[in-house]
């Protein structure tokens, strides 16, 4: 069964990366055919006006509005979690998940059992829940993830606005036709049948997160300031060995992070665990003078600006 044309055109716009689009179709399939769906939060991180909200509306109508709730403002700052009860999809819109407190609260929410609190009273019972999160934010800094994070499926989406007047491909009439299609029972049923007929992609199970270019970008954005400093030095690839003492002195001049110390052990741990586009950044070792430093990896982009290369030579 084919995807209805206007739905397909919308998906091609919002998810131009074909692998990301296949993952999203599989995510929708799991939502319709399994009790818990995919246990990772589907995250759409990108510019305002690209169509993120319309996709949430489509997902909502697909599973039924009665199975949907939108997280209230202050969702992460209060203990009131009754919106999770008897719902299949929870939408978190423009609420950053980038502090230790909010990340811990989000981890708690991702469990399948909750003490549901009624307004004004303490929780009186533990109940089992079966919902998925969909998170929409405009800024990369609003989602903090690390290299091994499996809570979020951060799918690659377009940076192009949907609306024609903002440089996008759709005029107002077409957007209105798509909105009508989302709420038209016949067309929505055809899309739902397409999702069911599409079948389950065996590459991704209920616990598998999507980690593409956007995920790698958010990991990089989430690094500590000193880690970004070291990453920048290595990616410039100006030398085959970087003296660690000199790196420390350079960083002291520009540091903005509260975690400003660069030590041999911290640097070694960072290089052992962080992967840049799947590659190892390098290792901590000694040069011929027995000085500790960083020996960079060999598979990074070449540095092009020779004047800046000389200025940054360590």
């Amino acid at each position: 069964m084919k995807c209805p044309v206007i739905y397909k055109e919308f998906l091609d716009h919002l998810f131009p990366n074909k692998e990301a689009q296949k993952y999203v179709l599989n995510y929708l399939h799991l939502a319709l055919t399994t009790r818990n769906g995919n246990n990772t939060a589907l995250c759409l991180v990108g510019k305002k006006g690209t169509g993120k909200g319309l996709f949430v509306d489509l997902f909502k109508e697909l599973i039924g509005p009665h199975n949907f709730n939108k997280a209230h403002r202050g969702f992460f700052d209060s203990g009131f979690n009754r919106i999770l009860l008897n719902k299949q999809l929870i939408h978190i819109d423009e609420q950053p998940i980038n502090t230790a407190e909010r990340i811990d609260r989000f981890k708690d929410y991702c469990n399948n059992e909750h003490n549901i609190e009624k307004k004004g009273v303490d929780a009186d019972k533990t109940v089992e829940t079966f919902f998925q999160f969909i998170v929409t934010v405009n800024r990369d800094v609003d989602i903090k993830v690390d290299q091994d994070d499996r809570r979020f499926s951060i799918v690659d989406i377009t940076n192009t606005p949907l609306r024609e007047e903002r440089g996008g491909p759709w005029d107002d009439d077409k957007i209105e036709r798509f909105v009508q299609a989302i709420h038209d029972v016949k067309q929505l049923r055809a899309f739902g049948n397409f999702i069911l007929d599409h079948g389950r992609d065996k590459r991704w199970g209920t616990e598998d997160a999507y980690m593409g270019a956007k995920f790698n970008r958010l990991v990089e954005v989430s690094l500590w300031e000193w880690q970004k400093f070291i990453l920048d030095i290595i990616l410039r690839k100006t030398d085959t060995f970087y003296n660690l003492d000199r790196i420390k002195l350079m960083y002291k001049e520009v540091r903005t992070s509260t975690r400003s110390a660069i030590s041999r052990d911290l640097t070694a741990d960072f290089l052992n665990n962080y992967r840049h586009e799947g590659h190892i950044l390098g290792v901590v070792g000694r040069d011929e003078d027995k000085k500790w430093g960083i020996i960079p990896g060999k598979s990074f982009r070449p540095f092009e600006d020779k004047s800046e290369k000389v200025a940054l030579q360590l």
Side-chain angles (χ1 to χ4, degrees):
M1 180 172 290
K2 291 184 177 181
C3 181
V5 174
I6 198 165
Y7 289 88
K8 176 60 175 164
E9 290 178 351
F10 175 76
L11 292 173
D12 285 343
H13 162 76
L14 186 59
F15 307 107
N17 181 294
K18 298 306 179 185
E19 282 298 292
Q21 188 176 136
K22 289 176 182 178
Y23 182 88
V24 169
L25 292 176
N26 188 66
Y27 197 97
L28 295 176
H29 179 84
L30 291 174
L32 292 178
T33 59
T34 64
R35 196 173 191 183
N36 275 59
N38 187 300
N39 291 325
T40 67
L42 187 66
C43 296
L44 308 183
V45 183
K47 293 180 179 179
K48 186 177 181 179
T50 52
K52 301 189 298 293
L54 283 174
F55 178 79
V56 174
D57 289 343
L58 173 58
F59 201 164
K60 169 185 173 182
E61 294 299 322
L62 195 62
I63 64 168
H66 57 286
N67 292 319
F68 173 88
N69 249 335
K70 185 174 182 178
H72 53 274
R73 291 296 172 187
F75 177 63
F76 288 106
D77 303 318
S78 70
F80 185 60
N81 59 2
R82 192 166 179 78
I83 68 165
L84 307 178
L85 187 62
N86 299 325
K87 299 300 176 184
Q88 190 176 351
L89 183 65
I90 307 296
H91 179 205
I92 301 175
D93 182 42
E94 290 303 318
Q95 296 197 55
I97 311 175
N98 57 5
T99 65
E101 295 77 12
R102 288 193 170 207
I103 291 171
D104 288 343
R105 179 63 64 89
F106 184 77
K107 287 180 181 178
D108 291 339
Y109 284 150
C110 288
N111 294 327
N112 288 333
E113 291 188 349
H114 295 86
N115 292 322
I116 300 297
E117 298 184 7
K118 298 179 181 179
K119 195 169 185 178
V121 299
D122 293 332
D124 55 3
K125 63 177 180 179
T126 299
V127 298
E128 196 170 7
T129 55
F130 306 96
F131 61 83
Q132 299 165 275
F133 281 115
I134 183 166
V135 180
T136 53
V137 293
N138 296 334
R139 305 182 307 162
D140 291 351
V141 295
D142 287 339
I143 302 291
K144 186 175 180 61
V145 295
D146 60 40
Q147 193 79 44
D148 300 319
D149 210 313
R150 298 296 181 270
R151 295 183 301 265
F152 302 106
S153 284
I154 302 170
V155 293
D156 302 319
I157 68 171
T158 185
N159 283 320
T160 303
L162 181 63
R163 194 175 296 275
E164 187 178 50
E165 64 187 36
R166 296 181 179 177
W170 285 22
D171 59 23
D172 289 345
D173 289 341
K174 190 166 185 177
I175 292 175
E176 180 58 30
R177 282 193 286 117
F178 181 64
V179 171
Q180 292 176 0
I182 290 175
H183 296 91
D184 182 84
V185 173
K186 185 177 180 180
Q187 294 186 71
L188 188 65
R189 183 183 294 120
F191 180 67
N193 287 333
F194 161 74
I195 293 297
L196 294 175
D197 189 61
H198 177 268
R200 180 170 176 174
D201 195 318
K202 294 182 180 179
R203 290 176 295 172
W204 299 299
T206 58
E207 303 291 336
D208 293 324
Y210 184 86
M211 294 173 288
K214 189 58 145 181
F215 174 82
N216 292 328
R217 167 62 181 161
L218 296 195
V219 170
E220 188 172 318
V221 169
S222 300
L223 293 175
W224 292 99
E225 291 297 326
W226 68 268
Q227 293 172 328
K228 292 178 185 177
F229 187 78
I230 289 176
L231 175 64
D232 182 66
I233 287 174
I234 295 176
L235 291 185
R236 291 178 184 276
K237 213 170 183 184
T238 61
D239 210 341
T240 57
F241 184 85
Y242 302 107
N243 184 284
L244 202 52
D245 288 331
R246 292 182 182 177
I247 290 177
K248 293 176 185 178
L249 290 174
M250 289 178 65
Y251 183 63
K252 283 182 179 180
E253 297 178 2
V254 299
R255 68 188 184 200
T256 58
S257 172
T258 54
R259 186 172 180 176
S260 58
I262 295 181
S263 70
R264 190 177 75 199
D265 290 342
L266 280 175
T267 303
D269 184 64
F270 170 54
L271 297 179
N272 285 337
N273 291 288
Y274 180 76
R275 298 291 180 271
H276 179 75
E277 298 178 354
H279 300 295
I280 297 173
L281 283 173
V283 297
V284 171
R286 296 194 190 200
D287 65 0
E288 56 189 17
D289 296 323
K290 304 300 182 181
K291 300 290 186 181
W292 286 102
I294 297 173
I295 304 169
K298 299 179 180 180
S299 51
F300 301 116
R301 65 176 186 262
F303 194 77
E304 298 177 355
D305 188 340
K306 293 184 178 179
S307 63
E308 194 172 350
K309 176 178 177 178
V310 173
L312 286 163
Q313 186 78 37
L314 295 182

